[in-house]
Amino acid sequence: MRTQKQITILGIGNELLSGSVTNTNATYLSSQLARLGILVDRHVVVPDELDVIVSAIQECRARQSSVITTGGLGPTADDLSLEAVARYLDVPLEPSPRTEAHILKRIANYNQRASRAAAKMAQIPRGALILLNSLGTAPGVICSQDEFFVASLPGPPVELQPMFEQKVLPFLAKWAGRSPCFLRTRLRTAGLAEPQVIRKLGRYAAGVPGKLGVGIYTSYNGLDIVLEALTQSKSKRPPALMREYAQEIHRRLGPAVYAEADGTLEAIIGQLLRKKGLSLSLAESCTGGLISKMITDAPGASDYYRGSILAYSNGIKSSHLKISEALLRKHGAVSGPVARAMAKGVRESINTEIGVSITGIAGPTGGSAQKPVGTAFVGIADSRGSRVHQIRGYGTRSTVRKGLASKTLNLLRLHLLER
């Protein structure tokens, strides 16, 4: 699925090479360019050294690849991106009074005076298209020659992303010209392992060579199934083949598909609770409030989420969730009966329609042959009764907790679908 247009994403900064900063800009830009059907031929990272930056741009041009640089814009001596672009194009840096005035206005908003810094950042390669920074100070630029261009963008993602979407995308749409339109749709699943997904999909797991690609990728809450295709159509609607595959995959996987595009489990749960007019409370032990955090990540969670009891100790389980010491002694804190009692207890204590609990062993110690590290029990209680599920998390303490939290949310989602 290669196109004639291709771009190199050139990260500039010693902090990227040292590992002090993760290069999330490359991932973001690649996904954005894919939507335009523009091939990213490589990610490159170089230090804050003028000659190295210039050489990297020269290499890109030799491969007939245009360049988007990130970072290296700013007031300090090691911010060399624009100087490198100017040297490569053999044009001078010239002051831009309009840009300097914009920078000074933004600096004044922070009650600071930095006219020297503004003057440096307003030195722009002659002939460049200036991209004023609405969320920072350092401007971006686009310098183009024929079919080749260098776009220089700021390093902070909070500044880069709006600048790219508002000012670079329109430029790229024209530059891409007749490039095919790249189409992608994503089906998000939970509760199934990859072999199960592949078995259920059958021949639909392989896609159609040359027409439709199917990828299965691990995501935070399970697996994402991504369908990709190139078409000459500029319509944003998926072609018929992609729609057919998406519908068939959805049919084969059933309720394991919880969302399309970028939907999240917590957002879907919020929609179900809001639609059914139900309120929710949580009692967490091994996840330490992580499920509560995920639930409240969804905007508008106050419509249905009432609160949580973080019952990490048996004392809190007894005093706040009314779990008897006899039950704890008989079955242990990590057990189905205690999870069921926790769900009932939090539902009654906070007075909600649904109470959800989890108690488990996050590790790395505390496991046994009967209850290995990662073992957890989830309780779900409502007016119709209560249920208990045994689940398992894997890996480090962190991944165990995240996995248990996601699985608990999925069990809650499935419970809501049945109501």
Side-chain angles (χ1 to χ4, degrees), residues 94-109:
E94 295 179 337
S96 167
R98 181 173 72 94
T99 303
E100 185 173 353
H102 177 83
I103 295 170
L104 288 171
K105 184 177 180 180
R106 289 203 55 81
I107 291 175
N109 290 337

Side-chain angles (χ1 to χ4, degrees), residues 335-398:
S335 64
V338 168
R340 187 189 303 275
M342 288 172 65
K344 291 180 178 177
V346 74
R347 177 174 178 264
E348 293 172 3
S349 177
I350 300 183
N351 189 28
T352 56
E353 278 84 13
I354 296 180
V356 176
S357 71
I358 183 168
T359 177
I361 306 166
T365 61
S368 66
Q370 293 74 31
K371 298 176 184 178
V373 167
T375 299
F377 294 87
V378 174
I380 301 178
D382 60 17
S383 60
R384 303 178 182 183
S386 60
R387 293 180 179 178
V388 171
H389 305 267
Q390 182 173 349
I391 59 177
R392 181 83 185 272
Y394 299 93
T396 65
R397 180 177 176 84
S398 175

Side-chain angles (χ1 to χ4, degrees), residues 226-288:
V226 179
L227 310 182
E228 296 176 334
L230 283 176
T231 175
Q232 294 298 327
S233 170
K234 292 187 179 300
S235 170
K236 293 182 179 179
R237 298 183 61 186
L241 183 61
M242 183 175 283
R243 284 201 303 275
E244 174 194 322
Y245 260 65
Q247 291 169 358
E248 182 60 23
I249 289 172
H250 208 143
R251 188 189 70 77
R252 289 178 176 237
L253 299 184
V257 177
Y258 66 84
E260 295 191 14
D262 296 322
T264 64
L265 264 180
E266 46 268 33
I268 298 301
I269 288 170
Q271 292 172 13
L272 291 170
L273 288 168
R274 193 179 287 112
K275 180 180 179 181
K276 296 173 184 287
L278 299 172
S279 57
L280 173 69
S281 59
L282 302 168
E284 294 190 64
S285 180
C286 58
T287 45

